[in-house]
Amino acid sequence: MANSRRSSLLPATAGLSVLIAGPAMAASQAVSPYDLSPLPVVTGTVAHYLPTPGGDIDGVILTDGTQVLCSHELGLAVAGLVKPGERISARGLRGRSLPIVRAYEIEDQRGRALEDAETISARLPVATSGPDIVVDGTVRAPLYSLHGRLVGAVMQDYTTVHLTPSEATRLTAWLQPGHALHAVGNGSTSALGTAIDAREIGPSLGQTIRVAPAAAPQAGPFPGSAAYDDIPGGSAHP
Protein backbone atom coordinates (compact mmCIF):
# COMPACT_ATOMS: atom_id res chain seq x y z
CA MET A 1 0.00 0.00 0.00
CA ALA A 2 1.14 3.50 -0.71
CA ASN A 3 2.33 5.25 2.42
CA SER A 4 3.73 8.30 0.63
CA ARG A 5 0.46 10.22 0.33
CA ARG A 6 -1.19 11.53 3.48
CA SER A 7 -4.12 13.80 4.34
CA SER A 8 -6.57 14.54 7.12
CA LEU A 9 -9.91 12.84 7.73
CA LEU A 10 -11.60 13.10 11.10
CA PRO A 11 -11.86 9.45 12.20
CA ALA A 12 -14.45 8.04 14.57
CA THR A 13 -12.04 8.60 17.46
CA ALA A 14 -9.58 11.46 16.99
CA GLY A 15 -5.91 10.62 17.48
CA LEU A 16 -6.40 6.86 17.20
CA SER A 17 -6.57 6.53 13.44
CA VAL A 18 -5.52 8.52 10.43
CA LEU A 19 -6.52 8.67 6.79
CA ILE A 20 -3.42 8.73 4.65
CA ALA A 21 -3.67 10.92 1.55
CA GLY A 22 -1.57 14.15 1.13
CA PRO A 23 2.20 14.63 1.77
CA ALA A 24 1.72 18.18 3.08
CA MET A 25 -0.13 16.83 6.10
CA ALA A 26 2.28 14.01 6.92
CA ALA A 27 4.35 15.93 9.45
CA SER A 28 1.33 16.99 11.50
CA GLN A 29 -0.55 13.68 11.52
CA ALA A 30 0.03 10.94 14.08
CA VAL A 31 0.53 7.55 12.45
CA SER A 32 1.33 4.11 13.77
CA PRO A 33 4.81 3.93 15.33
CA TYR A 34 5.14 0.45 13.82
CA ASP A 35 6.20 -0.46 10.30
CA LEU A 36 3.15 -2.21 8.86
CA SER A 37 4.72 -2.98 5.47
CA PRO A 38 5.86 -6.56 6.32
CA LEU A 39 2.27 -7.60 7.10
CA PRO A 40 0.41 -9.56 4.42
CA VAL A 41 -2.23 -7.83 2.31
CA VAL A 42 -5.65 -9.27 1.52
CA THR A 43 -7.70 -7.73 -1.28
CA GLY A 44 -11.35 -8.15 -2.17
CA THR A 45 -14.74 -6.55 -2.67
CA VAL A 46 -16.78 -5.39 0.30
CA ALA A 47 -20.09 -7.26 0.52
CA HIS A 48 -21.37 -5.51 3.67
CA TYR A 49 -20.40 -4.00 6.98
CA LEU A 50 -20.33 -6.11 10.15
CA PRO A 51 -22.58 -4.03 12.44
CA THR A 52 -22.67 -4.22 16.23
CA PRO A 53 -25.76 -4.03 18.48
CA GLY A 54 -24.50 -0.65 19.71
CA GLY A 55 -24.63 0.90 16.23
CA ASP A 56 -20.90 0.66 15.44
CA ILE A 57 -19.16 -1.74 13.07
CA ASP A 58 -16.53 -4.39 13.73
CA GLY A 59 -15.28 -4.34 10.15
CA VAL A 60 -16.51 -5.64 6.81
CA ILE A 61 -17.21 -8.97 5.18
CA LEU A 62 -15.91 -9.51 1.67
CA THR A 63 -17.76 -11.24 -1.15
CA ASP A 64 -15.54 -14.31 -0.69
CA GLY A 65 -16.64 -14.57 2.96
CA THR A 66 -13.48 -13.17 4.53
CA GLN A 67 -14.21 -11.06 7.60
CA VAL A 68 -11.91 -8.03 7.76
CA LEU A 69 -11.99 -7.03 11.42
CA CYS A 70 -10.78 -3.73 12.85
CA SER A 71 -10.42 -2.20 16.28
CA HIS A 72 -13.41 -0.35 17.69
CA GLU A 73 -11.33 2.85 17.61
CA LEU A 74 -11.61 2.75 13.82
CA GLY A 75 -15.28 1.78 13.95
CA LEU A 76 -17.38 4.19 11.96
CA ALA A 77 -14.33 5.67 10.24
CA VAL A 78 -14.14 2.49 8.16
CA ALA A 79 -17.71 3.08 7.01
CA GLY A 80 -16.66 6.56 5.94
CA LEU A 81 -13.81 5.12 3.91
CA VAL A 82 -15.38 2.20 2.04
CA LYS A 83 -18.83 1.21 0.84
CA PRO A 84 -20.31 -2.16 -0.16
CA GLY A 85 -19.37 -2.99 -3.73
CA GLU A 86 -15.98 -1.28 -3.50
CA ARG A 87 -12.62 -3.05 -3.51
CA ILE A 88 -10.27 -2.76 -0.57
CA SER A 89 -6.82 -3.89 0.47
CA ALA A 90 -6.43 -4.84 4.11
CA ARG A 91 -2.98 -5.12 5.66
CA GLY A 92 -2.83 -7.19 8.82
CA LEU A 93 -2.78 -10.67 10.31
CA ARG A 94 -4.56 -13.55 8.60
CA GLY A 95 -6.39 -16.18 10.60
CA ARG A 96 -4.55 -19.48 10.90
CA SER A 97 -7.56 -21.51 9.80
CA LEU A 98 -10.47 -19.05 10.01
CA PRO A 99 -11.56 -16.72 7.18
CA ILE A 100 -10.59 -13.59 9.14
CA VAL A 101 -8.09 -10.75 8.88
CA ARG A 102 -7.17 -8.55 11.82
CA ALA A 103 -6.66 -5.35 9.83
CA TYR A 104 -4.17 -2.69 10.92
CA GLU A 105 -4.56 -0.73 7.70
CA ILE A 106 -7.42 -0.58 5.20
CA GLU A 107 -7.00 1.06 1.80
CA ASP A 108 -9.87 1.87 -0.54
CA GLN A 109 -9.90 1.65 -4.33
CA ARG A 110 -8.94 5.34 -4.59
CA GLY A 111 -5.68 4.86 -2.67
CA ARG A 112 -6.86 6.38 0.62
CA ALA A 113 -5.88 4.39 3.70
CA LEU A 114 -6.98 4.24 7.31
CA GLU A 115 -4.71 2.78 9.98
CA ASP A 116 -4.47 2.18 13.70
CA ALA A 117 -2.18 4.80 15.18
CA GLU A 118 -2.06 3.99 18.88
CA THR A 119 -2.60 1.25 21.45
CA ILE A 120 -5.91 -0.51 21.01
CA SER A 121 -8.19 -0.67 24.04
CA ALA A 122 -10.87 -3.21 24.86
CA ARG A 123 -14.43 -2.45 23.83
CA LEU A 124 -16.73 -2.25 26.82
CA PRO A 125 -20.20 -3.81 26.46
CA VAL A 126 -22.77 -1.29 25.25
CA ALA A 127 -26.19 -1.74 26.79
CA THR A 128 -28.91 -1.60 24.14
CA SER A 129 -32.54 -0.74 24.68
CA GLY A 130 -35.72 -0.20 22.74
CA PRO A 131 -38.09 -2.61 21.02
CA ASP A 132 -36.95 -6.16 20.41
CA ILE A 133 -35.59 -6.94 16.97
CA VAL A 134 -36.57 -10.31 15.55
CA VAL A 135 -34.18 -12.07 13.20
CA ASP A 136 -35.44 -15.00 11.19
CA GLY A 137 -33.54 -16.49 8.27
CA THR A 138 -30.57 -18.57 7.18
CA VAL A 139 -27.01 -18.35 8.46
CA ARG A 140 -24.47 -17.13 5.92
CA ALA A 141 -21.38 -17.58 8.11
CA PRO A 142 -20.25 -17.81 11.73
CA LEU A 143 -19.37 -14.40 13.19
CA TYR A 144 -15.92 -13.93 14.72
CA SER A 145 -14.45 -11.36 17.09
CA LEU A 146 -11.25 -9.38 16.61
CA HIS A 147 -9.49 -12.07 18.64
CA GLY A 148 -10.79 -14.90 16.48
CA ARG A 149 -13.45 -16.15 18.89
CA LEU A 150 -16.83 -17.37 17.69
CA VAL A 151 -19.37 -14.74 18.81
CA GLY A 152 -22.50 -15.34 16.72
CA ALA A 153 -23.69 -15.51 13.14
CA VAL A 154 -23.87 -13.44 9.96
CA MET A 155 -27.24 -13.99 8.30
CA GLN A 156 -27.90 -14.15 4.55
CA ASP A 157 -29.07 -10.51 4.60
CA TYR A 158 -25.90 -9.59 6.58
CA THR A 159 -27.75 -9.02 9.84
CA THR A 160 -25.41 -10.02 12.67
CA VAL A 161 -26.55 -12.01 15.69
CA HIS A 162 -24.21 -11.54 18.65
CA LEU A 163 -23.65 -13.97 21.52
CA THR A 164 -21.13 -14.29 24.30
CA PRO A 165 -18.17 -16.49 23.30
CA SER A 166 -19.27 -19.17 25.79
CA GLU A 167 -22.84 -19.25 24.45
CA ALA A 168 -21.61 -19.21 20.85
CA THR A 169 -19.29 -22.15 21.55
CA ARG A 170 -22.14 -24.06 23.18
CA LEU A 171 -24.42 -23.39 20.20
CA THR A 172 -21.84 -23.82 17.43
CA ALA A 173 -24.03 -26.25 15.50
CA TRP A 174 -26.77 -23.61 15.11
CA LEU A 175 -24.33 -21.01 13.75
CA GLN A 176 -23.15 -22.91 10.69
CA PRO A 177 -23.80 -21.82 7.07
CA GLY A 178 -27.14 -22.92 5.67
CA HIS A 179 -28.79 -23.47 9.05
CA ALA A 180 -32.13 -21.82 9.84
CA LEU A 181 -31.90 -19.43 12.79
CA HIS A 182 -34.45 -17.45 14.79
CA ALA A 183 -33.21 -14.91 17.34
CA VAL A 184 -34.68 -12.10 19.42
CA GLY A 185 -32.90 -9.31 21.26
CA ASN A 186 -32.11 -5.62 21.54
CA GLY A 187 -29.87 -4.00 19.00
CA SER A 188 -29.72 -1.42 16.26
CA THR A 189 -30.87 -0.91 12.68
CA SER A 190 -29.30 1.75 10.48
CA ALA A 191 -27.73 2.33 7.09
CA LEU A 192 -24.83 0.21 8.35
CA GLY A 193 -27.08 -2.80 8.85
CA THR A 194 -28.94 -4.60 11.61
CA ALA A 195 -27.35 -6.25 14.63
CA ILE A 196 -28.82 -7.77 17.77
CA ASP A 197 -27.55 -8.91 21.12
CA ALA A 198 -29.46 -12.19 21.24
CA ARG A 199 -31.55 -13.00 24.30
CA GLU A 200 -33.44 -15.90 22.72
CA ILE A 201 -32.13 -18.08 19.93
CA GLY A 202 -32.92 -21.33 18.20
CA PRO A 203 -33.46 -23.05 14.85
CA SER A 204 -37.07 -21.82 14.71
CA LEU A 205 -39.65 -19.77 16.61
CA GLY A 206 -40.89 -22.79 18.53
CA GLN A 207 -37.42 -24.08 19.38
CA THR A 208 -35.67 -21.18 21.07
CA ILE A 209 -33.75 -21.10 24.32
CA ARG A 210 -32.82 -18.14 26.49
CA VAL A 211 -29.17 -17.07 26.54
CA ALA A 212 -27.19 -14.51 28.48
CA PRO A 213 -26.91 -11.34 26.33
CA ALA A 214 -23.38 -10.30 25.43
CA ALA A 215 -24.04 -6.81 26.80
CA ALA A 216 -25.35 -8.03 30.16
CA PRO A 217 -23.73 -6.20 33.10
CA GLN A 218 -21.09 -8.04 35.04
CA ALA A 219 -22.17 -9.65 38.28
CA GLY A 220 -21.32 -7.71 41.40
CA PRO A 221 -22.51 -4.79 43.54
CA PHE A 222 -24.33 -2.09 41.62
CA PRO A 223 -22.77 1.40 41.32
CA GLY A 224 -23.52 3.55 44.38
CA SER A 225 -24.06 0.62 46.72
CA ALA A 226 -22.06 0.27 49.94
CA ALA A 227 -20.09 -2.67 48.56
CA TYR A 228 -19.35 -1.11 45.16
CA ASP A 229 -16.02 0.45 46.23
CA ASP A 230 -14.86 -2.54 48.24
CA ILE A 231 -11.88 -4.39 46.84
CA PRO A 232 -12.25 -8.13 47.37
CA GLY A 233 -9.75 -9.17 50.05
CA GLY A 234 -8.80 -5.57 50.66
CA SER A 235 -10.04 -5.62 54.25
CA ALA A 236 -8.47 -8.96 55.12
CA HIS A 237 -5.69 -8.93 57.65
CA PRO A 238 -2.77 -11.38 57.83
Side-chain angles (χ1 to χ4, degrees):
M1 292 185 192
N3 286 327
S4 61
R5 305 183 43 174
R6 304 179 189 269
S7 145
S8 61
L9 169 82
L10 289 178
T13 305
L16 294 176
S17 59
V18 60
L19 186 72
I20 302 174
M25 304 299 294
S28 61
Q29 291 291 343
V31 296
S32 173
Y34 298 99
D35 178 11
L36 303 177
S37 62
L39 296 176
V41 176
V42 172
T43 62
T45 301
V46 175
H48 206 276
Y49 302 119
L50 291 172
T52 71
D56 199 348
I57 65 170
D58 281 334
V60 298
I61 183 169
L62 304 182
T63 53
D64 67 359
T66 300
Q67 295 177 33
V68 178
L69 306 169
C70 64
S71 66
H72 72 90
E73 276 83 359
L74 296 187
L76 298 177
V78 172
L81 180 72
V82 298
K83 300 291 186 289
E86 297 182 344
R87 288 190 62 80
I88 65 167
S89 297
R91 188 183 296 276
L93 302 175
R94 295 177 179 176
R96 292 180 185 273
S97 59
L98 300 175
I100 59 175
V101 175
R102 194 282 184 232
Y104 288 94
E105 183 180 74
I106 296 176
E107 183 177 305
D108 70 3
Q109 60 193 22
R110 293 169 290 278
R112 301 179 305 166
L114 190 70
E115 68 175 43
D116 283 338
E118 295 185 9
T119 303
I120 304 306
S121 62
R123 169 185 270 141
L124 297 176
V126 177
T128 55
S129 60
D132 281 342
I133 297 174
V134 178
V135 175
D136 202 297
T138 304
V139 175
R140 175 181 293 271
L143 176 67
Y144 298 102
S145 73
L146 189 68
H147 302 292
R149 303 187 70 181
L150 179 65
V151 290
V154 181
M155 306 299 287
Q156 283 294 336
D157 65 355
Y158 297 104
T159 292
T160 57
V161 177
H162 292 249
L163 298 164
T164 64
S166 59
E167 293 285 22
T169 299
R170 179 168 71 97
L171 304 175
T172 298
W174 290 354
L175 308 177
Q176 299 309 303
H179 283 236
L181 192 69
H182 178 92
V184 180
N186 291 137
S188 65
T189 297
S190 70
L192 300 177
T194 298
I196 72 165
D197 189 13
R199 187 179 65 251
E200 297 180 17
I201 191 169
S204 66
L205 175 61
Q207 296 178 289
T208 61
I209 62 172
R210 293 188 69 85
V211 293
Q218 299 294 317
F222 61 88
S225 67
Y228 183 69
D229 294 324
D230 287 348
I231 300 174
S235 59
H237 296 283

